[in-house]
Amino acid sequence: MTDILARPTQLTADLPLQVSPSASPVDAVRRAEILADPGFGQHFTDHMLSVTWTRGVGWHNALLGPFTPLQLHPSTAVLHYSQTIFEGLKAFNLDDGGLAVFRPDANAARFQRSAARLAMPGLPEDAFVAAVEALVSIDRAWVPSGGDRSLYLRPFMFATEAYLGVRPAHEYLCLFIASPSGAYFPRGVKPVTVWLSEDFVRATPGGTGAAKTGGNYAASLLAQEQAAAQGCDQVVWLDAVERSAVEEMGGMNLFFVIDHRRTHGRRGGDPSDIELVTPELTGTLLAGITRDALITLAREHEYAVSERRITVAEWRDRAADGSLTEVFACGTAAVITPIGKARSNGGEITIADGEPGPITTALREELLAIQHGTVADRHGWIHRIG
Ligand SMILES: *Cc1c(COP(=O)(O)O)cnc(C)c1O
């Protein structure tokens, strides 16, 4: 098309970015309809950004252009051997009219760690952040406002080499796409019931559990179906070796709120009587950026925060004696989701009264307020897009 502008700019000092705005963007009326009820992961913006890596050349051919399907050779390596990684982060309209992305530097760093584990080239962190800025900037009209809404960004990279031999590919495509999103779970912040999976595991020591890679999700789907068959919303993963330590819930990290005054029969006291436990990063867990942010916020509230081993037995015992007052899961897509009940072959555990707890609710509101710029960003988490 002749009316496509070609505006060269830079992704990094040595990586020029070709910009070709879409000649057929979604019209404003349809876009407004989508933004009014975006759902999750169903609608995409007008543009995408792609960068290619080729052995011997490195990163090249960065292009910000129309959102369009891909054409792949049937022998494309990723389709056979799953050499692929991804990220998830969000852009928000701020209360002051600005536009910002939450902690893109942390996602950039994790994208590099995931790449290293999958024997893929690392996209330089500054190129990752610049790509996010460029895509959000061109598609800023797609950032929904208010409540639980945001523009969900999905960077991903996969082996594009057409070759059936088993080895790290010699060519990769890194893509950035964006999807306006509302609440991740259709029922909103209602507590979920989880299934403690004793038949399947997500990650093994020495495996890929700490990398954000599609294979971990592919391996989780059967367990998710099993959870649904048990009337549960989500799977909770246990450690692969002893099947006793709690690791994660689906694609989210976990927190347990323990009120030690209840074990000691005391009243009053200060916030440090309340312990927030999140499973330690043993190498089989994904190091969530939401998890990291909540550890920081909880410590500011002077709760005792521990990254430690927590077993199903401790979960059951503390739910029974009343010292376990809240359990919640956290991640970029759903922010914070309360957990009301846990089921396993061994029976059912109800946490407190099964309703969202006050610490769960307060942390969720605080994090959302930071992300929307309603309260001051004391931590440098808000990355403004000019
Ligand atoms: C992405 C992900 C998380 C959450 O990470 P955030 O950075 O908080 O979004 C947790 N567990 C798994 C398995 C994940 O893939």
Side-chain angles (χ1 to χ4, degrees), residues 110 202 212 217 248 250-253 286 288-290 331-332:
R110 191 170 64 189
R202 189 189 85 94
K212 221 166 165 67
Y217 280 77
E248 296 192 59
M252 301 175 79
N253 296 115
L286 201 285
I289 294 159
T290 317
T332 296

Side-chain angles (χ1 to χ4, degrees), residues 4-10 17-21 138:
I4 291 179
L5 305 170
R7 288 187 279 148
T9 163
Q10 295 291 129
L17 177 69
Q18 184 77 17
V19 182
S20 301
I138 200 167

